[in-house]
Amino acid sequence: MVTGIKDIAHAFEAAAVMRLLPARPRLLGLGEPTHGEDTLLDLRNDLFRRLVEQEGYRTIAIESDCMMGLVVDDYVTSGTGSLDEAMQQGFSHGWGTSAANRELVGWMRAYNDGRPASERLRFAGFDGPLEITAAASPRQALTALHGYLSARVETDLLPCAAETLDRLLGTDDRWTDPAAMTDPARSVGQSAEAARLRLLADDLVALLDAQTPHLVTASSPEEWDRARLYGRTAIGLLRYHHWMADASPARMTRLVGLRDQMMAHNLLALAARGPAFVHAHNSHLQREKSATRMGGTLLEWWSAGALVSARLGREYAFLATAVGTIRHRGVDTPPPDTVEGLLYTLPDGHRVIDTRRLATVLGGTRPAHRVSPWFGYSAFDPAHLDDCDGIVFVKDLPQG
């Protein structure tokens, strides 16, 4: 079996990835089984560079706040601000402190310098403005959408004045109270003001749609794309806050599902713009349902990858990443009967595996599901072998 696995393991490079796929996908997703490891991000960066140079990809999207990501996109496309500002203001989840993310942003800015707009690389966050401890106020997205429309359509077509939005929104700390994540009674998401804001957001997006013929000529493509992002984000955030205030047993299932739904909507918008390379946790990009336990309760929901795949079919591709050891986290040599254990026999540090041929090598046997001793690492689920187009295997993750 070891010999057979060596035959289906290839160098981790763009050409080898593309040979696994029937055609160049509009969205190519690369998952990771854990966050915060720059070794994995370095591999991501290297693959993106090769996809740019060899396959014509121009956009990278990562699991970070879609609104904050606009700061990074402005920097890499036009040099707005500084690299330090882009890293501090353009990433959520603490990703801005990553050396690998800094290297990516710096390389993209250098690549774009002096190039025409049609050839420039683009950066996008595709997560909602959500953190583990809080959800953002809908203020930024709502007011940006209102401002875009008020500058381009007749005032009497607008459903409200900017002052009305400001009054209904109130202070932002009403929306971002960390206690609301565990106590629905602390959320303002089902208040009378929030209900009114949901209707106004819907009306603003409806106006955006109704005025499309005019707006696409009265705006640059960039302004139009961002206006639609503001609309998606405003509606998604208000819906998320609504369910934060829900006290039913389905509350957390709805919230995790809504997050991936916001991700999917952003990815589909990027796919319409051209081929994009996407990086996030495996659980967000896989084609199967995702699952996790919170407080002893099993939550299951359709991932962003599943939602996007249902729409794009073969124009969506997904590579899962599996890791052998993360010794500084207590994840030691994998058992030999797991997917990671089988791949750990490979001599190289990182390879891309043809999962269709791997099934043949396995001869109908199903490997065991590895049990991770560390909550931050999600082992590869062998039930998902048919779900992904390939596996990127990284033998050992060094500390640092």
Side-chain angles (χ1 to χ4, degrees):
M1 184 176 289
V2 172
T3 302
I5 289 176
K6 289 181 179 178
D7 291 339
I8 62 170
H10 309 285
F12 180 56
E13 56 188 21
V17 168
M18 289 301 170
R19 283 196 294 269
L20 300 178
L21 310 174
R24 185 184 72 171
R26 277 198 277 166
L27 291 178
L28 172 58
L30 173 66
E32 62 177 1
T34 184
H35 287 318
E37 298 290 340
D38 269 5
T39 297
L40 298 180
L41 302 188
D42 288 336
L43 291 174
R44 174 206 66 187
N45 292 353
D46 183 63
L47 180 58
F48 180 55
R49 283 192 290 267
R50 293 173 186 268
L51 290 170
V52 168
E53 295 162 358
Q54 301 170 19
E55 301 294 335
Y57 281 76
R58 290 291 178 268
T59 298
I60 185 169
I62 74 165
E63 185 185 335
S64 184
D65 183 331
C66 57
M67 297 291 288
M68 296 178 75
L70 298 177
V71 174
V72 182
D73 191 50
D74 285 341
Y75 173 72
V76 301
T77 55
S78 60
T80 302
S82 66
L83 178 57
D84 283 343
E85 289 170 340
M87 302 311 297
Q88 292 166 7
Q89 302 170 22
F91 290 85
S92 59
H93 311 322
W95 302 154
T97 62
S98 161
N101 281 336
R102 187 181 184 90
E103 189 277 334
L104 170 69
V105 174
W107 176 79
M108 292 177 70
R109 176 66 202 127
Y111 182 96
N112 284 340
D113 191 28
R115 293 181 186 268
S118 61
E119 296 180 11
R120 291 176 195 157
L121 306 182
R122 302 292 302 275
F123 178 93
F126 72 95
D127 202 351
L130 308 169
E131 293 284 359
I132 293 174
T133 56
S137 163
R139 176 183 301 279
Q140 182 185 6
L142 265 177
T143 57
L145 176 59
H146 188 280
Y148 168 85
L149 287 168
S150 63
R152 293 169 177 82
V153 302
E154 296 86 347
T155 301
D156 59 358
L157 292 177
L158 294 169
C160 67
E163 293 77 13
T164 301
L165 291 180
D166 188 62
R167 175 177 56 79
L168 293 171
L169 284 162
T171 60
D172 286 347
D173 58 9
R174 296 173 64 236
W175 299 90
T176 58
D177 181 3
M181 286 302 297
T182 54
D183 182 1
R186 296 291 296 271
S187 172
V188 297
Q190 293 187 17
S191 64
E193 294 87 353
R196 177 65 177 152
L197 285 168
R198 289 187 76 184
L199 290 173
L200 291 173
D202 184 71
D203 282 342
L204 287 168
V205 172
L207 180 59
L208 189 72
D209 290 341
Q211 293 291 314
T212 295
H214 162 64
L215 292 172
V216 295
T217 59
S219 313
S220 68
E222 181 60 34
E223 290 169 334
W224 173 242
D225 281 346
R226 290 194 176 190
R228 290 187 295 167
L229 171 63
Y230 301 150
R232 292 193 303 273
T233 305
I235 285 178
L237 271 175
L238 286 164
R239 183 179 294 124
Y240 192 91
H241 279 289
H242 175 88
W243 288 108
M244 283 183 69
D246 177 57
S248 76
R251 176 179 186 263
M252 289 308 301
T253 298
R254 286 187 182 277
L255 292 179
V256 293
L258 283 171
R259 181 188 177 195
D260 271 71
Q261 188 178 38
M262 292 178 72
M263 288 182 169
H265 290 164
N266 287 331
L267 289 177
L268 289 168
L270 291 173
R273 196 169 73 187
F277 176 54
V278 183
H279 188 257
H281 197 279
N282 286 333
S283 62
H284 291 304
L285 298 182
Q286 66 191 35
R287 289 187 178 92
E288 299 290 338
K289 271 189 172 181
S290 296
T292 191
R293 286 193 175 274
M294 288 189 179
T297 300
L298 177 65
L299 308 180
E300 293 184 304
W301 71 99
W302 288 110
S303 69
L307 296 170
V308 168
S309 182
R311 295 280 296 274
L312 296 184
R314 288 193 171 187
E315 292 189 291
Y316 175 72
F318 166 56
L319 304 174
T321 295
V323 170
T325 72
I326 318 174
R327 297 192 192 280
H328 59 283
R329 300 293 190 183
V331 182
D332 292 321
T333 304
D337 61 342
T338 62
V339 169
E340 292 90 344
L342 293 169
L343 298 180
Y344 201 74
T345 60
L346 294 168
D348 300 303
H350 45 271
R351 306 282 277 178
V352 60
I353 312 299
D354 185 334
T355 50
R356 292 185 299 271
R357 295 180 63 192
L358 177 59
T360 301
V361 171
L362 292 172
T365 62
R366 183 67 71 178
H369 193 173
R370 184 184 190 183
V371 177
S372 173
W374 175 49
F375 74 94
Y377 165 67
S378 298
F380 184 83
D381 186 345
H384 291 177
L385 275 173
D386 297 331
D387 159 43
C388 53
D389 297 289
I391 297 174
V392 175
F393 182 68
V394 180
K395 191 164 187 176
D396 301 291
L397 282 184
Q399 185 172 6

